[in-house]
Amino acid sequence: MTHVQHLKPFLRKTPFHAPMEALMHGNGWIRWMGYYSPAFFDSVSGEYFATRTGCTLYDVSPLIKYSIRGADAAKFMNFLVTRDITKVKPMQAAYTAWCDDDGKMIEEGTIFRLGENDFILNAALHQLHWLHESAYGFDVTIEEISERLCGLALQGPTSRDLLKVMGVGGIETLPHFGIMETTLDGHWMRIDRAGFTGDLGYELWVKPESAHWLWDTLMRLGDPYKIAPIGSQALDMVRIEAGFILVDADYIGAMHAIRPTQRESPIEAGIGWAVGLKKDAYFVGKRALQQEKAKVTSRHILMGIEVEGRKPANGAFLYADKAAKQEIGLTTSGMWSPILKKSIAFARVPPAYAKPGTEIWTEIWYPKEKKIERLMARCTVTSRMFFDPPRKKA
Amino acid sequence: MYDTAIIGAGHNGLVTATYLAKAGQKVIVVEASDRIGGAAVTREFAPGFKVSGVAHILHALHPRVVADLGLRLDRTPIGTSVLLPEGKSIDITADAAATAASIGKVSPADAEAWPRVTARLNKIATALGSFLSRTPPSPAISANDFQTKLALGMFALQLRMLGKKDMLELTRILTMNVADLANDHFESDAIKGLLSLDATLGVYLGPRSPNTVFNLLYRLSSYGKHGMGGLFLPKGGMGAVAKALEDAARRAGVEIRTSAPVDHILLEKEIATGLVLKGGEEIRASNIASSADPQTTLLKLVQPGNLDTEFMKRIRHLRMNGCVAKVHLALDGLPDAWKSRNGRLVVAPKTDYVERAFDCAKYGRVADKPALEIVIPSLTDASLAPPGKHVASILFQYAPYKLRETPPDEARRQVLERTIDTLDVLAPGLRTRVIGSEALTPQDLERDYGLAGGQWHQGEVTLDQMFFLRPAGQYQQYRMPIPGLWLCGAGAHPGGNVSGAAGMNAAREILKATKARKVAA
């Protein structure tokens, strides 16, 4: 996974590449959206613990960013996504899904509402075509601005203190999912209080020419706050603990599903809470989702499970019983959580089993001393938010 | 509060309205223009000269509509003459012997083949035609009610009953081009030319394009028991048909308002609950049925943000390339060659002639040498022109809606000029007889009659836009995605022509849904 030697002539470098390269001891580069992106710098577990105990930097510049503006921008966003945008005020962010006609999820991502009719949509995959198609009849301008902004996710319990020392006025009062803009040392910066770790954390967005200033300032001031750069492997661990789903890991995006049945609704993908069926406007896929809800046709719901024992249960079969007579689903992501001291996983279970406290079983196959061993482990269905410290929102 | 509000007082809108009113509904029809009939109108284009404004030959009006609505139509049966150089022609009429003799002068082999081939095509077309008056089934069999399943079963049975040979022939020719079909059976250019025009009229296709045999069968399906059984000129022009429908509607208690353009369809909690007129007035109804074309209905009258993205795209991409212009001539008497030409006259001397005319359209130009369909209704209907004078109503194929370089005014001038140039050769002296004229390009038809793309059938009649794909897959049963919104015009199955079948089928589905709602309540 880390071998990108053959891609080197083609991969682009984010504005943070040079300072990251200096710290890259393990040659842990991977490809993300055509950019060099760190999978790890040197120790994955070190990076994981830094995120949970200090604060860490992760380069999120390769994310796809769209600017959506115009007289109908608010109306259009409310039509495009499942969340009720009328409840998102200017300078607030919101996590949402967007669906195809059949209510199957194309992707999920974050919307930043900068003004009444001024939005930024962050996505993991390219969406411009879908946005343009959906915008028919609306007075909006949609632009991809991915290269005009670069960003670092500064996440972890000490992140706020670091920003305070850095001189970001008002950071104490920035609420969860709030957005603010500031200028420091002549550098414009947009800060939102969101992230992919489920902890206290921020995303810092600057213009590419300010990238080195941002990195250097944070690293210079960050030592007392145990700052460290991280790669995607540590990030993957913290996002599972936080319960965040990932496109093509926990669900397949509707636009690149090989079979129509592979597509999933946001309800099935476990983010039914982000579907505003009650909002006072139509959105793409609403009629299909209303049907799914009314007729209870969800095939499964992505829940969390706590697995007995220490073995990670990713991609494992799920059963209703220990005897493995009735198969009920599969796990997607799974891991041993070092901080929770538990084996946790995301589990696709039928709606009848999607209640916290339900006991189910999983079949784990694992290598041991040149043999493959089988284990039936008892699991308890839970919310996917395994790690949810009060400081996240405080 | 009405039970149903219908957009557009075209013939389908009136048919739907009348069926619903007869079933006891309170129905209102709102029409944007100041006249009733939509594209079925008689208009005075020069002082004293009247003509059918768009469609000019009646053949497809569904017999069940005629019977159910008690329509009385005064009409004259007509034949077809293929005009050949030097005043010659092939005359095809109901008289088989005379037809054979006429074709025989050009080709004895074709004279023998004609009745045989047309009988077979008519048999196949009639089998297909049984579905004109039915609701297309959903491809998901379980989604159909018993009535629709039964209709589908009967349809399959009917195709099977064609016999093995004819059923195989149907599957062979269904997607084929008409040039090959004509070559299969005929040797004379004139007959091939006639088939070429009949198979391409109203679609943006040339005789060598696939799908043209389907369009021919579609046309033929109305020549038998599922239509009027032949070609007719309505007395008083097509407006008389609209008048008969209007009278039937008013008798049934339908309220009709003209000069009442709809601004948008009122949606409340994502359900269609009424119409908002341009002036701001609201008309409330439990059902909204639109006889406007699918693009006008779903892209313009439904406000943005109420229909799913992929569905909108399907509707935006409907093929609506109008390519037929209409020419009206006021004539100060007829040239000798035409004094007894009271039927349908066709200028399409051979396949290549029509194909080359299409080539022009393909590249965004008005056909240099157009294929024409002409009627002189004043020969049988004195009410249309002052004594001793005549009108000619002409379909000009091809004049594309999308022009590449030609400005619209220039295109209109070319249509008129090239029509007269073509006719003056076939009927010398015609040019000097023209005392008034009018040419309507597809763009004009869009403006004057609200036909999106200037398309006569509210969407081309091709296999991919027919049956359970009209106007879009999953939405073929007249019910649109928004609850309470229905499509009842030619944009829905079974499509175009002055037939009323779409209006009849839509009314049946609306009544079915109303009944189901009542049972549920």
PDB file of all heavy atoms in Angstrom, chain B residues 313-338:
ATOM      1  N   LYS B 313     -33.158  14.604 -15.868  1.00  0.00           N
ATOM      2  CA  LYS B 313     -32.234  14.460 -16.984  1.00  0.00           C
ATOM      3  C   LYS B 313     -32.891  13.676 -18.122  1.00  0.00           C
ATOM      4  O   LYS B 313     -32.794  14.040 -19.280  1.00  0.00           O
ATOM      5  CB  LYS B 313     -30.963  13.762 -16.524  1.00  0.00           C
ATOM      6  CG  LYS B 313     -29.952  13.605 -17.629  1.00  0.00           C
ATOM      7  CD  LYS B 313     -28.696  12.948 -17.141  1.00  0.00           C
ATOM      8  CE  LYS B 313     -27.770  12.687 -18.310  1.00  0.00           C
ATOM      9  NZ  LYS B 313     -26.580  11.960 -17.919  1.00  0.00           N
ATOM     10  N   ARG B 314     -33.617  12.620 -17.756  1.00  0.00           N
ATOM     11  CA  ARG B 314     -34.317  11.817 -18.762  1.00  0.00           C
ATOM     12  C   ARG B 314     -35.292  12.700 -19.538  1.00  0.00           C
ATOM     13  O   ARG B 314     -35.387  12.644 -20.756  1.00  0.00           O
ATOM     14  CB  ARG B 314     -35.055  10.682 -18.027  1.00  0.00           C
ATOM     15  CG  ARG B 314     -35.742   9.655 -18.842  1.00  0.00           C
ATOM     16  CD  ARG B 314     -34.778   8.695 -19.469  1.00  0.00           C
ATOM     17  NE  ARG B 314     -34.722   9.058 -20.841  1.00  0.00           N
ATOM     18  CZ  ARG B 314     -33.684   9.289 -21.625  1.00  0.00           C
ATOM     19  NH1 ARG B 314     -32.604   9.079 -21.307  1.00  0.00           N
ATOM     20  NH2 ARG B 314     -33.680   9.699 -22.806  1.00  0.00           N
ATOM     21  N   ILE B 315     -36.011  13.538 -18.806  1.00  0.00           N
ATOM     22  CA  ILE B 315     -37.004  14.404 -19.450  1.00  0.00           C
ATOM     23  C   ILE B 315     -36.305  15.458 -20.312  1.00  0.00           C
ATOM     24  O   ILE B 315     -36.728  15.739 -21.433  1.00  0.00           O
ATOM     25  CB  ILE B 315     -37.914  15.066 -18.388  1.00  0.00           C
ATOM     26  CG1 ILE B 315     -38.689  14.000 -17.598  1.00  0.00           C
ATOM     27  CG2 ILE B 315     -38.866  16.074 -19.028  1.00  0.00           C
ATOM     28  CD1 ILE B 315     -39.594  13.115 -18.428  1.00  0.00           C
ATOM     29  N   ARG B 316     -35.204  16.006 -19.798  1.00  0.00           N
ATOM     30  CA  ARG B 316     -34.470  17.004 -20.590  1.00  0.00           C
ATOM     31  C   ARG B 316     -33.957  16.400 -21.886  1.00  0.00           C
ATOM     32  O   ARG B 316     -33.851  17.070 -22.896  1.00  0.00           O
ATOM     33  CB  ARG B 316     -33.255  17.521 -19.801  1.00  0.00           C
ATOM     34  CG  ARG B 316     -33.576  18.468 -18.691  1.00  0.00           C
ATOM     35  CD  ARG B 316     -32.419  19.408 -18.393  1.00  0.00           C
ATOM     36  NE  ARG B 316     -31.143  18.790 -18.132  1.00  0.00           N
ATOM     37  CZ  ARG B 316     -30.788  18.247 -16.974  1.00  0.00           C
ATOM     38  NH1 ARG B 316     -31.632  18.221 -15.981  1.00  0.00           N
ATOM     39  NH2 ARG B 316     -29.591  17.731 -16.809  1.00  0.00           N
ATOM     40  N   HIS B 317     -33.621  15.105 -21.815  1.00  0.00           N
ATOM     41  CA  HIS B 317     -33.001  14.477 -22.978  1.00  0.00           C
ATOM     42  C   HIS B 317     -34.004  13.783 -23.898  1.00  0.00           C
ATOM     43  O   HIS B 317     -33.590  13.071 -24.811  1.00  0.00           O
ATOM     44  CB  HIS B 317     -31.940  13.470 -22.518  1.00  0.00           C
ATOM     45  CG  HIS B 317     -30.708  14.136 -21.994  1.00  0.00           C
ATOM     46  ND1 HIS B 317     -29.454  13.645 -22.151  1.00  0.00           N
ATOM     47  CD2 HIS B 317     -30.556  15.293 -21.320  1.00  0.00           C
ATOM     48  CE1 HIS B 317     -28.577  14.458 -21.591  1.00  0.00           C
ATOM     49  NE2 HIS B 317     -29.227  15.459 -21.068  1.00  0.00           N
ATOM     50  N   LEU B 318     -35.285  13.950 -23.650  1.00  0.00           N
ATOM     51  CA  LEU B 318     -36.261  13.396 -24.597  1.00  0.00           C
ATOM     52  C   LEU B 318     -35.953  13.951 -25.977  1.00  0.00           C
ATOM     53  O   LEU B 318     -35.662  15.132 -26.119  1.00  0.00           O
ATOM     54  CB  LEU B 318     -37.677  13.831 -24.201  1.00  0.00           C
ATOM     55  CG  LEU B 318     -38.322  13.148 -23.008  1.00  0.00           C
ATOM     56  CD1 LEU B 318     -39.675  13.779 -22.733  1.00  0.00           C
ATOM     57  CD2 LEU B 318     -38.490  11.668 -23.274  1.00  0.00           C
ATOM     58  N   ARG B 319     -36.046  13.079 -26.967  1.00  0.00           N
ATOM     59  CA  ARG B 319     -35.792  13.595 -28.317  1.00  0.00           C
ATOM     60  C   ARG B 319     -37.033  14.325 -28.832  1.00  0.00           C
ATOM     61  O   ARG B 319     -38.091  13.735 -28.994  1.00  0.00           O
ATOM     62  CB  ARG B 319     -35.364  12.476 -29.261  1.00  0.00           C
ATOM     63  CG  ARG B 319     -33.849  12.442 -29.393  1.00  0.00           C
ATOM     64  CD  ARG B 319     -33.318  11.306 -30.210  1.00  0.00           C
ATOM     65  NE  ARG B 319     -33.610  10.052 -29.562  1.00  0.00           N
ATOM     66  CZ  ARG B 319     -34.538   9.212 -30.000  1.00  0.00           C
ATOM     67  NH1 ARG B 319     -35.227   9.460 -31.087  1.00  0.00           N
ATOM     68  NH2 ARG B 319     -34.756   8.106 -29.352  1.00  0.00           N
ATOM     69  N   MET B 320     -36.894  15.615 -28.968  1.00  0.00           N
ATOM     70  CA  MET B 320     -38.012  16.465 -29.369  1.00  0.00           C
ATOM     71  C   MET B 320     -37.572  17.340 -30.542  1.00  0.00           C
ATOM     72  O   MET B 320     -37.845  18.529 -30.551  1.00  0.00           O
ATOM     73  CB  MET B 320     -38.420  17.383 -28.206  1.00  0.00           C
ATOM     74  CG  MET B 320     -38.638  16.714 -26.887  1.00  0.00           C
ATOM     75  SD  MET B 320     -40.324  16.164 -26.674  1.00  0.00           S
ATOM     76  CE  MET B 320     -41.107  17.672 -26.207  1.00  0.00           C
ATOM     77  N   ASN B 321     -36.862  16.761 -31.487  1.00  0.00           N
ATOM     78  CA  ASN B 321     -36.379  17.566 -32.608  1.00  0.00           C
ATOM     79  C   ASN B 321     -37.455  17.673 -33.673  1.00  0.00           C
ATOM     80  O   ASN B 321     -37.580  16.803 -34.517  1.00  0.00           O
ATOM     81  CB  ASN B 321     -35.146  16.922 -33.248  1.00  0.00           C
ATOM     82  CG  ASN B 321     -34.008  16.790 -32.268  1.00  0.00           C
ATOM     83  OD1 ASN B 321     -33.732  17.726 -31.506  1.00  0.00           O
ATOM     84  ND2 ASN B 321     -33.362  15.645 -32.253  1.00  0.00           N
ATOM     85  N   GLY B 322     -38.227  18.739 -33.615  1.00  0.00           N
ATOM     86  CA  GLY B 322     -39.216  18.958 -34.659  1.00  0.00           C
ATOM     87  C   GLY B 322     -38.514  19.113 -35.992  1.00  0.00           C
ATOM     88  O   GLY B 322     -37.450  19.720 -36.075  1.00  0.00           O
ATOM     89  N   CYS B 323     -39.072  18.532 -37.055  1.00  0.00           N
ATOM     90  CA  CYS B 323     -38.411  18.677 -38.351  1.00  0.00           C
ATOM     91  C   CYS B 323     -39.426  18.860 -39.471  1.00  0.00           C
ATOM     92  O   CYS B 323     -39.084  18.806 -40.635  1.00  0.00           O
ATOM     93  CB  CYS B 323     -37.506  17.477 -38.629  1.00  0.00           C
ATOM     94  SG  CYS B 323     -38.384  15.932 -38.684  1.00  0.00           S
ATOM     95  N   VAL B 324     -40.698  19.050 -39.090  1.00  0.00           N
ATOM     96  CA  VAL B 324     -41.719  19.261 -40.112  1.00  0.00           C
ATOM     97  C   VAL B 324     -42.212  20.703 -40.022  1.00  0.00           C
ATOM     98  O   VAL B 324     -42.616  21.166 -38.965  1.00  0.00           O
ATOM     99  CB  VAL B 324     -42.913  18.298 -39.909  1.00  0.00           C
ATOM    100  CG1 VAL B 324     -43.963  18.522 -40.983  1.00  0.00           C
ATOM    101  CG2 VAL B 324     -42.432  16.852 -39.927  1.00  0.00           C
ATOM    102  N   ALA B 325     -42.155  21.395 -41.156  1.00  0.00           N
ATOM    103  CA  ALA B 325     -42.705  22.747 -41.222  1.00  0.00           C
ATOM    104  C   ALA B 325     -44.069  22.667 -41.888  1.00  0.00           C
ATOM    105  O   ALA B 325     -44.413  21.662 -42.529  1.00  0.00           O
ATOM    106  CB  ALA B 325     -41.782  23.667 -42.001  1.00  0.00           C
ATOM    107  N   LYS B 326     -44.858  23.713 -41.705  1.00  0.00           N
ATOM    108  CA  LYS B 326     -46.190  23.725 -42.288  1.00  0.00           C
ATOM    109  C   LYS B 326     -46.276  24.914 -43.231  1.00  0.00           C
ATOM    110  O   LYS B 326     -45.856  26.021 -42.883  1.00  0.00           O
ATOM    111  CB  LYS B 326     -47.221  23.862 -41.150  1.00  0.00           C
ATOM    112  CG  LYS B 326     -48.657  23.672 -41.563  1.00  0.00           C
ATOM    113  CD  LYS B 326     -49.001  22.202 -41.813  1.00  0.00           C
ATOM    114  CE  LYS B 326     -50.273  22.058 -42.635  1.00  0.00           C
ATOM    115  NZ  LYS B 326     -51.480  22.486 -41.936  1.00  0.00           N
ATOM    116  N   VAL B 327     -46.816  24.658 -44.431  1.00  0.00           N
ATOM    117  CA  VAL B 327     -46.981  25.743 -45.411  1.00  0.00           C
ATOM    118  C   VAL B 327     -48.445  25.821 -45.810  1.00  0.00           C
ATOM    119  O   VAL B 327     -49.098  24.792 -46.043  1.00  0.00           O
ATOM    120  CB  VAL B 327     -46.115  25.491 -46.675  1.00  0.00           C
ATOM    121  CG1 VAL B 327     -46.304  26.622 -47.672  1.00  0.00           C
ATOM    122  CG2 VAL B 327     -44.649  25.351 -46.292  1.00  0.00           C
ATOM    123  N   HIS B 328     -48.979  27.019 -45.816  1.00  0.00           N
ATOM    124  CA  HIS B 328     -50.352  27.238 -46.257  1.00  0.00           C
ATOM    125  C   HIS B 328     -50.331  28.166 -47.456  1.00  0.00           C
ATOM    126  O   HIS B 328     -49.704  29.220 -47.412  1.00  0.00           O
ATOM    127  CB  HIS B 328     -51.175  27.882 -45.134  1.00  0.00           C
ATOM    128  CG  HIS B 328     -51.177  27.059 -43.883  1.00  0.00           C
ATOM    129  ND1 HIS B 328     -51.099  27.598 -42.631  1.00  0.00           N
ATOM    130  CD2 HIS B 328     -51.218  25.712 -43.704  1.00  0.00           C
ATOM    131  CE1 HIS B 328     -51.119  26.627 -41.725  1.00  0.00           C
ATOM    132  NE2 HIS B 328     -51.185  25.479 -42.351  1.00  0.00           N
ATOM    133  N   LEU B 329     -51.014  27.777 -48.507  1.00  0.00           N
ATOM    134  CA  LEU B 329     -51.074  28.617 -49.700  1.00  0.00           C
ATOM    135  C   LEU B 329     -52.526  28.992 -49.996  1.00  0.00           C
ATOM    136  O   LEU B 329     -53.421  28.137 -49.964  1.00  0.00           O
ATOM    137  CB  LEU B 329     -50.502  27.880 -50.924  1.00  0.00           C
ATOM    138  CG  LEU B 329     -49.028  27.441 -50.842  1.00  0.00           C
ATOM    139  CD1 LEU B 329     -48.646  26.703 -52.123  1.00  0.00           C
ATOM    140  CD2 LEU B 329     -48.106  28.631 -50.601  1.00  0.00           C
ATOM    141  N   ALA B 330     -52.742  30.271 -50.256  1.00  0.00           N
ATOM    142  CA  ALA B 330     -54.048  30.728 -50.755  1.00  0.00           C
ATOM    143  C   ALA B 330     -53.906  30.841 -52.262  1.00  0.00           C
ATOM    144  O   ALA B 330     -53.009  31.519 -52.759  1.00  0.00           O
ATOM    145  CB  ALA B 330     -54.391  32.069 -50.134  1.00  0.00           C
ATOM    146  N   LEU B 331     -54.780  30.133 -52.971  1.00  0.00           N
ATOM    147  CA  LEU B 331     -54.607  30.039 -54.431  1.00  0.00           C
ATOM    148  C   LEU B 331     -55.793  30.671 -55.155  1.00  0.00           C
ATOM    149  O   LEU B 331     -56.956  30.397 -54.841  1.00  0.00           O
ATOM    150  CB  LEU B 331     -54.468  28.574 -54.850  1.00  0.00           C
ATOM    151  CG  LEU B 331     -53.295  27.807 -54.214  1.00  0.00           C
ATOM    152  CD1 LEU B 331     -53.438  26.316 -54.477  1.00  0.00           C
ATOM    153  CD2 LEU B 331     -51.970  28.335 -54.729  1.00  0.00           C
ATOM    154  N   ASP B 332     -55.436  31.456 -56.131  1.00  0.00           N
ATOM    155  CA  ASP B 332     -56.446  32.102 -56.966  1.00  0.00           C
ATOM    156  C   ASP B 332     -56.794  31.121 -58.082  1.00  0.00           C
ATOM    157  O   ASP B 332     -56.506  31.369 -59.248  1.00  0.00           O
ATOM    158  CB  ASP B 332     -55.826  33.400 -57.493  1.00  0.00           C
ATOM    159  CG  ASP B 332     -56.793  34.140 -58.390  1.00  0.00           C
ATOM    160  OD1 ASP B 332     -58.004  33.879 -58.295  1.00  0.00           O
ATOM    161  OD2 ASP B 332     -56.316  34.975 -59.185  1.00  0.00           O
ATOM    162  N   GLY B 333     -57.382  29.993 -57.699  1.00  0.00           N
ATOM    163  CA  GLY B 333     -57.650  28.938 -58.678  1.00  0.00           C
ATOM    164  C   GLY B 333     -56.516  27.933 -58.719  1.00  0.00           C
ATOM    165  O   GLY B 333     -55.427  28.197 -58.220  1.00  0.00           O
ATOM    166  N   LEU B 334     -56.808  26.758 -59.295  1.00  0.00           N
ATOM    167  CA  LEU B 334     -55.818  25.689 -59.310  1.00  0.00           C
ATOM    168  C   LEU B 334     -55.239  25.504 -60.696  1.00  0.00           C
ATOM    169  O   LEU B 334     -55.937  25.673 -61.699  1.00  0.00           O
ATOM    170  CB  LEU B 334     -56.484  24.373 -58.892  1.00  0.00           C
ATOM    171  CG  LEU B 334     -56.852  24.242 -57.414  1.00  0.00           C
ATOM    172  CD1 LEU B 334     -57.636  22.961 -57.194  1.00  0.00           C
ATOM    173  CD2 LEU B 334     -55.616  24.275 -56.551  1.00  0.00           C
ATOM    174  N   PRO B 335     -53.957  25.125 -60.780  1.00  0.00           N
ATOM    175  CA  PRO B 335     -53.400  24.768 -62.097  1.00  0.00           C
ATOM    176  C   PRO B 335     -54.149  23.532 -62.608  1.00  0.00           C
ATOM    177  O   PRO B 335     -54.677  22.750 -61.813  1.00  0.00           O
ATOM    178  CB  PRO B 335     -51.942  24.430 -61.797  1.00  0.00           C
ATOM    179  CG  PRO B 335     -51.721  24.681 -60.348  1.00  0.00           C
ATOM    180  CD  PRO B 335     -53.015  24.991 -59.696  1.00  0.00           C
ATOM    181  N   ASP B 336     -54.163  23.372 -63.919  1.00  0.00           N
ATOM    182  CA  ASP B 336     -54.945  22.274 -64.521  1.00  0.00           C
ATOM    183  C   ASP B 336     -54.626  20.929 -63.891  1.00  0.00           C
ATOM    184  O   ASP B 336     -55.509  20.112 -63.648  1.00  0.00           O
ATOM    185  CB  ASP B 336     -54.659  22.211 -66.033  1.00  0.00           C
ATOM    186  CG  ASP B 336     -55.248  23.432 -66.733  1.00  0.00           C
ATOM    187  OD1 ASP B 336     -56.145  24.071 -66.123  1.00  0.00           O
ATOM    188  OD2 ASP B 336     -54.799  23.762 -67.851  1.00  0.00           O
ATOM    189  N   ALA B 337     -53.314  20.707 -63.639  1.00  0.00           N
ATOM    190  CA  ALA B 337     -52.880  19.397 -63.129  1.00  0.00           C
ATOM    191  C   ALA B 337     -53.553  19.033 -61.801  1.00  0.00           C
ATOM    192  O   ALA B 337     -53.633  17.865 -61.449  1.00  0.00           O
ATOM    193  CB  ALA B 337     -51.360  19.386 -62.966  1.00  0.00           C
ATOM    194  N   TRP B 338     -54.045  20.016 -61.087  1.00  0.00           N
ATOM    195  CA  TRP B 338     -54.537  19.741 -59.738  1.00  0.00           C
ATOM    196  C   TRP B 338     -56.041  19.915 -59.574  1.00  0.00           C
ATOM    197  O   TRP B 338     -56.559  19.807 -58.473  1.00  0.00           O
ATOM    198  CB  TRP B 338     -53.822  20.676 -58.733  1.00  0.00           C
ATOM    199  CG  TRP B 338     -52.450  20.169 -58.371  1.00  0.00           C
ATOM    200  CD1 TRP B 338     -51.779  19.160 -58.979  1.00  0.00           C
ATOM    201  CD2 TRP B 338     -51.618  20.656 -57.322  1.00  0.00           C
ATOM    202  NE1 TRP B 338     -50.562  18.976 -58.405  1.00  0.00           N
ATOM    203  CE2 TRP B 338     -50.429  19.889 -57.375  1.00  0.00           C
ATOM    204  CE3 TRP B 338     -51.730  21.653 -56.369  1.00  0.00           C
ATOM    205  CZ2 TRP B 338     -49.378  20.095 -56.492  1.00  0.00           C
ATOM    206  CZ3 TRP B 338     -50.684  21.857 -55.498  1.00  0.00           C
ATOM    207  CH2 TRP B 338     -49.523  21.081 -55.561  1.00  0.00           C
TER     208      TRP B 338
END
